[in-house]
Amino acid sequence: MTVIAFDVNETLLDLRALDPLFADTFDDPGSRGQWFAQMLQVAFVGGLTGQYVDFTTAQHAALSMLADRLGKPLPPERATAIVEAMSALPPHAEVPAALARLREAGFTMVALTNSVQSVAEAQLRYAGLGELFNAAISADSVRRLKPAPEPYHAVAQRFGVEPSEVRLVAAHAWDVSGALAAGCRAALVRRPGVVAIPLGAQPDIVGPTLTEVADRIIAAR
Amino acid sequence: MTVIAFDVNETLLDLRALDPLFADTFDDPGSRGQWFAQMLQVAFVGGLTGQYVDFTTAQHAALSMLADRLGKPLPPERATAIVEAMSALPPHAEVPAALARLREAGFTMVALTNSVQSVAEAQLRYAGLGELFNAAISADSVRRLKPAPEPYHAVAQRFGVEPSEVRLVAAHAWDVSGALAAGCRAALVRRPGVVAIPLGAQPDIVGPTLTEVADRIIAAR
């Protein structure tokens, strides 16, 4: 039995849908990427210092930091609108069919995300993907965000399998490194700009889209 | 007694000296900043996954990732030249005089850096700052990089003081957050683009350069 744990943001859902909101707010075409990178750093610092920060809180903090850095006003209702838009993202074009093929092939399908549970469920519902998953597991449930080992191990525990029977699929190198360090397998969706971390264990499956990754997972079964 | 622990890269030393090397290698004006951010993320992932990555290794890995992402060749000797240039950075203009004032005011002065020991010592020597410090402590000596608590606690241990008697001075918000979470005090040097993380404890001293920060540390004594 293999349980496939899919990262959600960027891997399944397309954050480019946020670009008009960022353009209106910060007038800087790189601001959405800067925000997501800053948000991750805030979340990682929480993990390294033993002061857990949930993903929604990290998103608000990073918006405030970005506004401060760019010298732009950020009305609270605008910050709320951006964070709420995270729950209403479209899937990347190839995602619904690729997920459906994996599901039909008999894999146990889990969404494993750093988003809090309510956001994770809203995201899958909005994107029309909810029916494809056996479970949605939020890292918030173990109060340790990926790439720490606990969220990956939570998937193994939920389905009563060893970590080696869990395969993460993600478009983030840090998420793949975390899964491999936790004893899982991993596949990297190498969307534009995505590069593996060339240290430690490496993913045995790499493809440019979820379609190619799904093909290889099915072929490797 | 207060022990002042100074972060080195960006806080004391000016990484802009690397810009010509990055321009020659990657032909992208933002590449030095992208590299440093990627390098930090690689280091942080090492800390979160329990797979320690020393700072020199993180620098090489991030250069390789950047070359891959930008589609540029990176001859090994060029990567080595960039990493070696980290040992030959000039201090920010105000730094020597501000450090000398703090030293004359009687503080115990420590360089506390994620760089490995040999690089830390080469950096201070090249910048002409070595004589101003009572010690240079590398986070590598405890195999945990800042912002994890161990490096800050290593400073307290070395001088036989409580963490609350250590004050970190840094131009990185994540470093300040780490020191505060470890029970130390902290001052943020708010160089252009530097913004505090608006979560958890906040630094009681913030200034635009080391001169203003030094003035406030002396006034607060």
Side-chain angles (χ1 to χ4, degrees), chain B residues 49-91:
Chain B
T49 60
Q51 304 202 327
Y52 174 68
V53 177
D54 74 66
F55 226 46
T56 301
T57 300
Q59 287 166 22
H60 277 287
L63 278 176
S64 155
M65 293 172 78
L66 187 62
D68 199 359
R69 185 176 297 130
L70 297 175
K72 300 281 182 184
L74 181 67
E77 64 275 14
R78 175 53 66 116
T80 300
I82 293 175
V83 172
E84 286 182 351
M86 286 291 288
S87 296
L89 298 169

Tab-separated table of all heavy atoms in Angstrom, chain B residues 49-91:
chain	number	residue	atom	x	y	z
B	49	THR	N	14.741	19.732	9.801
B	49	THR	CA	14.667	18.298	9.502
B	49	THR	C	15.682	17.498	10.313
B	49	THR	O	15.776	16.278	10.134
B	49	THR	CB	14.931	18.043	7.996
B	49	THR	OG1	16.238	18.535	7.668
B	49	THR	CG2	13.891	18.737	7.130
B	50	GLY	N	16.450	18.181	11.177
B	50	GLY	CA	17.437	17.464	11.985
B	50	GLY	C	18.639	17.004	11.174
B	50	GLY	O	19.348	16.090	11.583
B	51	GLN	N	18.855	17.623	10.016
B	51	GLN	CA	20.001	17.263	9.177
B	51	GLN	C	20.860	18.510	9.029
B	51	GLN	O	20.704	19.296	8.067
B	51	GLN	CB	19.509	16.739	7.822
B	51	GLN	CG	18.547	15.550	8.011
B	51	GLN	CD	18.433	14.662	6.798
B	51	GLN	OE1	18.528	15.129	5.670
B	51	GLN	NE2	18.228	13.370	7.036
B	52	TYR	N	21.770	18.665	9.999
B	52	TYR	CA	22.576	19.880	10.073
B	52	TYR	C	23.338	20.132	8.771
B	52	TYR	O	23.969	19.227	8.227
B	52	TYR	CB	23.564	19.768	11.243
B	52	TYR	CG	24.544	20.914	11.307
B	52	TYR	CD1	24.109	22.198	11.622
B	52	TYR	CD2	25.895	20.723	11.028
B	52	TYR	CE1	24.995	23.258	11.665
B	52	TYR	CE2	26.790	21.786	11.073
B	52	TYR	CZ	26.332	23.047	11.387
B	52	TYR	OH	27.215	24.101	11.421
B	53	VAL	N	23.278	21.373	8.309
B	53	VAL	CA	24.005	21.812	7.115
B	53	VAL	C	24.885	22.988	7.529
B	53	VAL	O	24.367	23.988	8.029
B	53	VAL	CB	23.027	22.277	6.008
B	53	VAL	CG1	23.794	22.813	4.802
B	53	VAL	CG2	22.092	21.157	5.598
B	54	ASP	N	26.205	22.857	7.375
B	54	ASP	CA	27.035	24.011	7.736
B	54	ASP	C	26.871	25.123	6.701
B	54	ASP	O	26.410	24.893	5.580
B	54	ASP	CB	28.508	23.596	7.932
B	54	ASP	CG	29.208	23.310	6.618
B	54	ASP	OD1	29.389	24.243	5.818
B	54	ASP	OD2	29.567	22.142	6.388
B	55	PHE	N	27.239	26.344	7.097
B	55	PHE	CA	26.919	27.529	6.289
B	55	PHE	C	27.665	27.526	4.952
B	55	PHE	O	27.117	27.981	3.947
B	55	PHE	CB	27.256	28.785	7.098
B	55	PHE	CG	26.179	29.846	7.059
B	55	PHE	CD1	24.833	29.518	7.239
B	55	PHE	CD2	26.513	31.190	6.887
B	55	PHE	CE1	23.841	30.508	7.210
B	55	PHE	CE2	25.526	32.177	6.861
B	55	PHE	CZ	24.200	31.845	7.016
B	56	THR	N	28.880	27.005	4.930
B	56	THR	CA	29.629	26.942	3.668
B	56	THR	C	28.943	25.978	2.700
B	56	THR	O	28.782	26.277	1.504
B	56	THR	CB	31.091	26.488	3.925
B	56	THR	OG1	31.708	27.420	4.824
B	56	THR	CG2	31.894	26.430	2.637
B	57	THR	N	28.516	24.840	3.210
B	57	THR	CA	27.794	23.867	2.372
B	57	THR	C	26.486	24.460	1.865
B	57	THR	O	26.111	24.277	0.693
B	57	THR	CB	27.532	22.579	3.181
B	57	THR	OG1	28.794	22.034	3.588
B	57	THR	CG2	26.775	21.552	2.371
B	58	ALA	N	25.789	25.188	2.728
B	58	ALA	CA	24.540	25.838	2.310
B	58	ALA	C	24.800	26.859	1.211
B	58	ALA	O	24.005	27.006	0.277
B	58	ALA	CB	23.862	26.498	3.515
B	59	GLN	N	25.929	27.562	1.302
B	59	GLN	CA	26.254	28.567	0.278
B	59	GLN	C	26.497	27.900	-1.078
B	59	GLN	O	26.012	28.380	-2.113
B	59	GLN	CB	27.470	29.387	0.728
B	59	GLN	CG	27.105	30.358	1.844
B	59	GLN	CD	28.303	30.957	2.562
B	59	GLN	OE1	29.401	30.984	2.019
B	59	GLN	NE2	28.089	31.437	3.773
B	60	HIS	N	27.245	26.808	-1.076
B	60	HIS	CA	27.482	26.094	-2.331
B	60	HIS	C	26.171	25.530	-2.896
B	60	HIS	O	25.918	25.621	-4.101
B	60	HIS	CB	28.507	24.975	-2.122
B	60	HIS	CG	29.926	25.451	-2.182
B	60	HIS	ND1	30.535	25.814	-3.363
B	60	HIS	CD2	30.849	25.650	-1.210
B	60	HIS	CE1	31.784	26.203	-3.122
B	60	HIS	NE2	32.001	26.113	-1.816
B	61	ALA	N	25.352	24.943	-2.049
B	61	ALA	CA	24.087	24.365	-2.521
B	61	ALA	C	23.202	25.450	-3.139
B	61	ALA	O	22.596	25.248	-4.203
B	61	ALA	CB	23.352	23.679	-1.361
B	62	ALA	N	23.132	26.598	-2.487
B	62	ALA	CA	22.267	27.677	-2.992
B	62	ALA	C	22.798	28.245	-4.301
B	62	ALA	O	22.014	28.635	-5.176
B	62	ALA	CB	22.131	28.772	-1.937
B	63	LEU	N	24.109	28.307	-4.468
B	63	LEU	CA	24.664	28.758	-5.751
B	63	LEU	C	24.272	27.807	-6.863
B	63	LEU	O	23.880	28.224	-7.962
B	63	LEU	CB	26.196	28.831	-5.678
B	63	LEU	CG	26.801	30.073	-5.057
B	63	LEU	CD1	28.317	29.927	-4.989
B	63	LEU	CD2	26.427	31.332	-5.836
B	64	SER	N	24.365	26.508	-6.583
B	64	SER	CA	23.997	25.507	-7.572
B	64	SER	C	22.508	25.607	-7.927
B	64	SER	O	22.120	25.524	-9.106
B	64	SER	CB	24.380	24.139	-7.001
B	64	SER	OG	23.606	23.129	-7.574
B	65	MET	N	21.671	25.819	-6.918
B	65	MET	CA	20.226	25.952	-7.163
B	65	MET	C	19.929	27.197	-8.000
B	65	MET	O	19.087	27.178	-8.903
B	65	MET	CB	19.468	26.016	-5.834
B	65	MET	CG	19.522	24.711	-5.044
B	65	MET	SD	18.831	24.859	-3.358
B	65	MET	CE	17.061	24.818	-3.715
B	66	LEU	N	20.627	28.296	-7.687
B	66	LEU	CA	20.401	29.547	-8.411
B	66	LEU	C	20.805	29.390	-9.882
B	66	LEU	O	20.084	29.838	-10.790
B	66	LEU	CB	21.207	30.661	-7.733
B	66	LEU	CG	20.984	32.082	-8.235
B	66	LEU	CD1	19.538	32.520	-8.031
B	66	LEU	CD2	21.933	33.046	-7.526
B	67	ALA	N	21.945	28.753	-10.121
B	67	ALA	CA	22.406	28.539	-11.495
B	67	ALA	C	21.393	27.696	-12.269
B	67	ALA	O	21.058	27.991	-13.426
B	67	ALA	CB	23.771	27.858	-11.480
B	68	ASP	N	20.886	26.664	-11.607
B	68	ASP	CA	19.891	25.773	-12.206
B	68	ASP	C	18.615	26.569	-12.541
B	68	ASP	O	18.079	26.481	-13.653
B	68	ASP	CB	19.618	24.666	-11.174
B	68	ASP	CG	18.984	23.429	-11.774
B	68	ASP	OD1	18.732	23.408	-12.987
B	68	ASP	OD2	18.727	22.474	-11.014
B	69	ARG	N	18.164	27.365	-11.576
B	69	ARG	CA	16.918	28.123	-11.763
B	69	ARG	C	17.049	29.156	-12.879
B	69	ARG	O	16.110	29.364	-13.655
B	69	ARG	CB	16.535	28.803	-10.443
B	69	ARG	CG	15.201	29.518	-10.479
B	69	ARG	CD	14.844	30.097	-9.111
B	69	ARG	NE	14.691	29.051	-8.119
B	69	ARG	CZ	15.274	29.049	-6.922
B	69	ARG	NH1	16.049	30.047	-6.540
B	69	ARG	NH2	15.074	28.053	-6.092
B	70	LEU	N	18.210	29.823	-12.933
B	70	LEU	CA	18.402	30.880	-13.927
B	70	LEU	C	18.914	30.324	-15.263
B	70	LEU	O	19.032	31.081	-16.233
B	70	LEU	CB	19.382	31.938	-13.398
B	70	LEU	CG	18.921	32.704	-12.147
B	70	LEU	CD1	20.031	33.629	-11.646
B	70	LEU	CD2	17.651	33.520	-12.433
B	71	GLY	N	19.210	29.017	-15.284
B	71	GLY	CA	19.709	28.415	-16.520
B	71	GLY	C	21.081	28.928	-16.936
B	71	GLY	O	21.358	29.090	-18.131
B	72	LYS	N	21.934	29.215	-15.948
B	72	LYS	CA	23.275	29.730	-16.229
B	72	LYS	C	24.304	28.668	-15.846
B	72	LYS	O	24.136	27.975	-14.843
B	72	LYS	CB	23.557	30.980	-15.382
B	72	LYS	CG	22.585	32.117	-15.623
B	72	LYS	CD	22.919	32.885	-16.888
B	72	LYS	CE	21.933	34.043	-17.051
B	72	LYS	NZ	22.142	34.757	-18.312
B	73	PRO	N	25.401	28.578	-16.621
B	73	PRO	CA	26.461	27.658	-16.212
B	73	PRO	C	27.164	28.191	-14.962
B	73	PRO	O	27.254	29.405	-14.756
B	73	PRO	CB	27.406	27.667	-17.418
B	73	PRO	CG	27.175	28.994	-18.083
B	73	PRO	CD	25.735	29.349	-17.829
B	74	LEU	N	27.629	27.273	-14.119
B	74	LEU	CA	28.363	27.679	-12.916
B	74	LEU	C	29.600	26.789	-12.795
B	74	LEU	O	29.546	25.725	-12.177
B	74	LEU	CB	27.479	27.538	-11.676
B	74	LEU	CG	28.134	27.953	-10.357
B	74	LEU	CD1	28.391	29.454	-10.321
B	74	LEU	CD2	27.284	27.530	-9.165
B	75	PRO	N	30.717	27.219	-13.411
B	75	PRO	CA	31.945	26.413	-13.293
B	75	PRO	C	32.330	26.308	-11.813
B	75	PRO	O	32.166	27.276	-11.063
B	75	PRO	CB	32.990	27.234	-14.072
B	75	PRO	CG	32.213	28.216	-14.910
B	75	PRO	CD	30.936	28.469	-14.168
B	76	PRO	N	32.843	25.132	-11.403
B	76	PRO	CA	33.176	24.936	-9.982
B	76	PRO	C	34.108	26.016	-9.446
B	76	PRO	O	33.965	26.444	-8.291
B	76	PRO	CB	33.857	23.557	-9.959
B	76	PRO	CG	33.375	22.863	-11.184
B	76	PRO	CD	33.080	23.924	-12.205
B	77	GLU	N	35.052	26.482	-10.268
B	77	GLU	CA	36.005	27.475	-9.760
B	77	GLU	C	35.309	28.817	-9.518
B	77	GLU	O	35.714	29.595	-8.657
B	77	GLU	CB	37.210	27.628	-10.704
B	77	GLU	CG	36.899	28.164	-12.090
B	77	GLU	CD	36.461	27.078	-13.078
B	77	GLU	OE1	36.131	25.938	-12.639
B	77	GLU	OE2	36.433	27.364	-14.299
B	78	ARG	N	34.235	29.060	-10.268
B	78	ARG	CA	33.482	30.300	-10.041
B	78	ARG	C	32.701	30.205	-8.723
B	78	ARG	O	32.652	31.153	-7.927
B	78	ARG	CB	32.543	30.563	-11.229
B	78	ARG	CG	31.603	31.748	-11.096
B	78	ARG	CD	32.321	33.040	-10.754
B	78	ARG	NE	33.199	33.486	-11.812
B	78	ARG	CZ	33.029	34.621	-12.492
B	78	ARG	NH1	32.015	35.415	-12.199
B	78	ARG	NH2	33.872	34.945	-13.445
B	79	ALA	N	32.088	29.059	-8.472
B	79	ALA	CA	31.380	28.860	-7.202
B	79	ALA	C	32.347	29.024	-6.027
B	79	ALA	O	32.043	29.699	-5.033
B	79	ALA	CB	30.734	27.476	-7.174
B	80	THR	N	33.520	28.430	-6.152
B	80	THR	CA	34.524	28.545	-5.095
B	80	THR	C	34.933	30.002	-4.888
B	80	THR	O	35.075	30.470	-3.748
B	80	THR	CB	35.750	27.681	-5.450
B	80	THR	OG1	35.312	26.327	-5.573
B	80	THR	CG2	36.822	27.766	-4.386
B	81	ALA	N	35.087	30.731	-5.993
B	81	ALA	CA	35.500	32.138	-5.884
B	81	ALA	C	34.450	32.956	-5.128
B	81	ALA	O	34.781	33.810	-4.294
B	81	ALA	CB	35.735	32.724	-7.277
B	82	ILE	N	33.159	32.688	-5.415
B	82	ILE	CA	32.108	33.446	-4.728
B	82	ILE	C	32.101	33.110	-3.237
B	82	ILE	O	32.047	33.999	-2.382
B	82	ILE	CB	30.722	33.163	-5.359
B	82	ILE	CG1	30.666	33.732	-6.785
B	82	ILE	CG2	29.609	33.750	-4.498
B	82	ILE	CD1	29.390	33.410	-7.547
B	83	VAL	N	32.176	31.826	-2.912
B	83	VAL	CA	32.129	31.444	-1.494
B	83	VAL	C	33.372	31.977	-0.767
B	83	VAL	O	33.271	32.465	0.371
B	83	VAL	CB	31.971	29.919	-1.354
B	83	VAL	CG1	32.120	29.492	0.102
B	83	VAL	CG2	30.600	29.485	-1.897
B	84	GLU	N	34.518	31.947	-1.443
B	84	GLU	CA	35.730	32.478	-0.804
B	84	GLU	C	35.651	33.990	-0.623
B	84	GLU	O	36.204	34.532	0.343
B	84	GLU	CB	36.978	32.096	-1.606
B	84	GLU	CG	37.316	30.613	-1.427
B	84	GLU	CD	38.577	30.181	-2.164
B	84	GLU	OE1	39.115	30.986	-2.961
B	84	GLU	OE2	39.009	29.032	-1.928
B	85	ALA	N	34.932	34.657	-1.510
B	85	ALA	CA	34.795	36.114	-1.377
B	85	ALA	C	34.010	36.499	-0.114
B	85	ALA	O	34.112	37.638	0.364
B	85	ALA	CB	34.113	36.693	-2.621
B	86	MET	N	33.254	35.563	0.435
B	86	MET	CA	32.559	35.824	1.717
B	86	MET	C	33.558	36.109	2.846
B	86	MET	O	33.198	36.699	3.857
B	86	MET	CB	31.693	34.618	2.114
B	86	MET	CG	30.426	34.462	1.316
B	86	MET	SD	29.206	35.764	1.639
B	86	MET	CE	28.636	35.330	3.296
B	87	SER	N	34.806	35.654	2.687
B	87	SER	CA	35.830	35.884	3.718
B	87	SER	C	36.540	37.218	3.538
B	87	SER	O	37.395	37.564	4.360
B	87	SER	CB	36.872	34.754	3.689
B	87	SER	OG	36.268	33.524	4.032
B	88	ALA	N	36.220	37.953	2.488
B	88	ALA	CA	36.940	39.202	2.187
B	88	ALA	C	35.932	40.316	1.905
B	88	ALA	O	35.897	40.896	0.820
B	88	ALA	CB	37.878	38.986	1.007
B	89	LEU	N	35.081	40.579	2.896
B	89	LEU	CA	34.057	41.615	2.765
B	89	LEU	C	34.466	42.842	3.582
B	89	LEU	O	34.990	42.711	4.691
B	89	LEU	CB	32.708	41.102	3.295
B	89	LEU	CG	32.095	39.907	2.574
B	89	LEU	CD1	30.914	39.362	3.373
B	89	LEU	CD2	31.655	40.315	1.164
B	90	PRO	N	34.169	44.043	3.066
B	90	PRO	CA	34.460	45.248	3.846
B	90	PRO	C	33.387	45.461	4.918
B	90	PRO	O	32.252	45.019	4.760
B	90	PRO	CB	34.386	46.354	2.787
B	90	PRO	CG	33.370	45.852	1.803
B	90	PRO	CD	33.553	44.351	1.762
B	91	PRO	N	33.740	46.144	6.000
B	91	PRO	CA	32.695	46.494	6.968
B	91	PRO	C	31.800	47.599	6.392
B	91	PRO	O	32.245	48.376	5.533
B	91	PRO	CB	33.490	47.013	8.167
B	91	PRO	CG	34.782	47.503	7.594
B	91	PRO	CD	35.064	46.651	6.388
